[in-house]
Amino acid sequence: MQFPSKTLALRIATLLTGPTLVMACAQIPRSSVAEAQFPALSCEELAREVAAAQATRAAAEQAKSESWHAVLPFVVAARYADAGAASSEAQRRIGLLSAQAAQRPCAS
């Protein structure tokens, strides 16, 4: 019985772990509204974006806490890092959106 070469084994491992990493990052919802558009948003749109950012932050925190469920250590690290970055970004967006809402006569 012949064993596959190290190169072939590496290629197979890459093919198997690539989709896993993509799926790990794809589960956190992110807003498509650019920060440059925040000043042009209405009060209702600002409120929707704040709610979306809060949902992103909650999903990111959950993904961060569940990142250890992966079997491979580098997948755990990738999931944890992606979730941490998404949480920080969502928190920053909440701050920017709240500042925009505070500059307008939006109901709190």
Side-chain angles (χ1 to χ4, degrees):
M1 177 173 180
Q2 284 186 324
F3 291 104
S5 68
K6 288 183 181 180
T7 306
L8 179 60
L10 181 61
R11 286 182 184 170
I12 291 171
T14 302
L15 288 173
L16 293 175
T17 58
T20 303
L21 291 174
V22 171
M23 291 304 296
C25 301
Q27 296 174 359
I28 300 172
R30 290 179 170 89
S31 176
S32 61
V33 176
E35 292 174 11
Q37 294 176 318
F38 288 176
L41 297 178
S42 68
C43 290
E44 294 81 18
E45 292 168 328
L46 284 171
R48 278 196 300 271
E49 283 300 310
V50 167
Q54 289 171 339
T56 296
R57 184 178 58 190
E61 290 300 318
Q62 181 175 355
K64 200 169 159 184
S65 70
E66 294 175 351
S67 64
W68 64 271
H69 289 166
V71 176
L72 302 172
F74 63 89
V75 175
V76 172
R79 285 182 176 182
Y80 190 86
D82 180 60
S87 180
S88 295
E89 176 65 17
Q91 186 60 44
R92 193 177 67 71
R93 286 177 69 89
I94 290 169
L96 292 172
L97 290 162
S98 297
Q100 283 295 323
Q103 293 175 359
R104 301 177 187 180
C106 295
S108 297

